[in-house]
Amino acid sequence: MRMGIAERMASAERIREAEQACDELRAALTEVGVTLPSLGLDCVSLAADPPYPLVELGRCAPGTARQLAEALSAGVRAEGR
């Protein structure tokens, strides 16, 4: 089944939103000193018809996982939860 122009535009917008979310997450992680080396869009979800893009967080070393957990916990503490 071929996608019409409206479906293609909606798909392109979903991909742009996923790319933006990925960029925002990368920037926020960078602010707290965390790098997820595999962070990006999931290729399989982009290949669907129509595409439904997902952000792939990927794998990281245990030390990176601990940094991420520490950053999240610090954020929760700062909000007083």
Side-chain angles (χ1 to χ4, degrees), residues 8-30:
R8 282 193 298 257
M9 290 177 68
S11 294
E13 180 59 26
R14 284 194 298 270
I15 293 169
R16 277 192 294 276
E17 287 176 8
E19 288 172 335
Q20 183 177 8
C22 187
D23 291 344
E24 290 170 7
L25 179 57
R26 182 177 286 111
L29 290 170
T30 298

Side-chain angles (χ1 to χ4, degrees), residues 23-36 39 63-79:
D23 291 344
E24 290 170 7
L25 179 57
R26 182 177 286 111
L29 290 170
T30 298
E31 287 180 16
V32 295
V34 176
T35 300
L36 295 178
L39 180 62
T64 302
R66 287 188 181 104
Q67 282 181 299
L68 180 56
E70 184 179 311
L72 291 170
S73 294
V76 169
R77 285 191 301 273
E79 290 182 3

Side-chain angles (χ1 to χ4, degrees), residues 35-79:
T35 300
L36 295 178
S38 302
L39 180 62
L41 297 187
D42 173 62
C43 295
V44 174
S45 67
L46 294 174
D49 186 23
Y52 189 80
L54 298 173
V55 175
E56 175 70 52
L57 301 179
R59 300 175 183 163
C60 65
T64 302
R66 287 188 181 104
Q67 282 181 299
L68 180 56
E70 184 179 311
L72 291 170
S73 294
V76 169
R77 285 191 301 273
E79 290 182 3

